[in-house]
Amino acid sequence: MNRVFLIGYMGAGKTTLGKAMALSMNVPFVDLDWYIEGRFHKTIREIFAEQGESRFRELERKMLHEVGDFEDVIVSTGGGTPCFFDNIDYMNRQGKTVFLDVDTEVLFQRLRIATSKRPILRGKTDEELHEFIEKALAQRLPFYEKASFRFNANNLDTRNEINESVKQLKRLLGLI
């Protein structure tokens, strides 16, 4: 199997689908943000606040290269990971990349619930949140579209939908 990198916008289901897929295949799952937090003993928010985005992106790239050497692993990246340096090209060389494509409206509904957990979204009205998602997605789409595979991840609300998505994704990747 080697490596599968899940990419996409925040709220696309990278962690949800990645954990379920790794469990179904009995392979390790690595959420890149959690990995970074564990290595540096700080939250992503703290790293951003203390060192700025450019330093965070350098650390992120270094940690991506570290987990990119792991064998038989499912990696969930941060939403911005593919958009910096040569990260998307690196992931494409190291394994199979999957863009979890989710409709803007579905992202809006998912992120609307999670605004308190995501500082970048905190305090936004529904209209501002919708605009923010559309704008950021438009900027990131050219990077996401460089993934080897594109997978519709609109339906991840129930355990059954997650399990069915895992089966479809494994089929798409030729893993079953």
Side-chain angles (χ1 to χ4, degrees):
M1 180 201 96
N2 244 344
R3 297 162 205 93
V4 174
F5 296 93
L6 302 178
I7 67 171
Y9 197 66
M10 69 174 122
K14 299 178 299 287
T15 299
T16 299
L17 198 53
K19 283 178 11 183
M21 188 168 162
L23 187 64
S24 81
M25 298 180 69
N26 199 28
V27 298
F29 169 73
V30 176
D31 179 297
L32 188 60
D33 284 347
W34 296 349
Y35 187 81
I36 292 167
E37 290 178 344
R39 284 292 303 276
F40 295 95
H41 307 288
K42 293 181 181 192
T43 65
I44 301 299
R45 185 181 343 168
E46 289 170 333
I47 296 169
F48 256 82
E50 293 170 11
Q51 301 182 35
E53 184 178 11
S54 62
R55 177 69 180 130
F56 168 75
R57 294 300 177 187
E58 290 170 16
L59 292 174
E60 180 183 52
R61 180 177 189 249
K62 185 177 180 184
M63 295 300 99
L64 175 64
H65 282 249
E66 204 169 281
V67 300
D69 284 337
F70 295 177
E71 294 292 328
D72 297 326
V73 65
I74 309 287
V75 178
S76 160
T77 68
T81 306
C83 309
F84 293 88
F85 306 105
D86 64 341
N87 290 346
I88 186 64
D89 298 326
Y90 172 77
M91 289 185 282
N92 279 328
R93 287 190 308 271
Q94 291 297 103
K96 296 176 179 182
T97 51
V98 182
F99 166 36
L100 298 187
D101 192 9
V102 178
D103 295 340
T104 305
E105 192 55 39
V106 174
L107 288 173
F108 170 73
Q109 293 302 328
R110 289 179 187 170
L111 293 174
R112 188 173 182 219
I113 298 166
T115 54
S116 64
K117 295 179 189 170
R118 298 177 185 267
I120 196 167
L121 305 178
R122 195 173 292 139
K124 291 192 183 335
T125 65
D126 284 356
E127 188 177 308
E128 290 169 335
L129 178 60
H130 214 285
E131 262 180 53
F132 181 84
I133 293 167
E134 284 180 344
K135 184 179 177 186
L137 203 50
Q139 291 172 337
R140 292 179 174 186
L141 208 50
F143 297 96
Y144 294 162
E145 289 177 334
K146 290 182 178 183
S148 306
F149 300 90
R150 189 177 193 136
F151 183 79
N152 182 311
N154 282 329
N155 301 313
L156 298 175
D157 296 324
T158 66
R159 176 63 40 209
N160 285 342
E161 287 177 343
I162 293 166
N163 290 339
E164 183 55 36
S165 291
V166 166
K167 283 183 204 164
Q168 291 172 8
L169 182 54
K170 284 164 60 174
R171 225 175 275 122
L172 175 68
L173 297 175
L175 300 174
I176 55 172

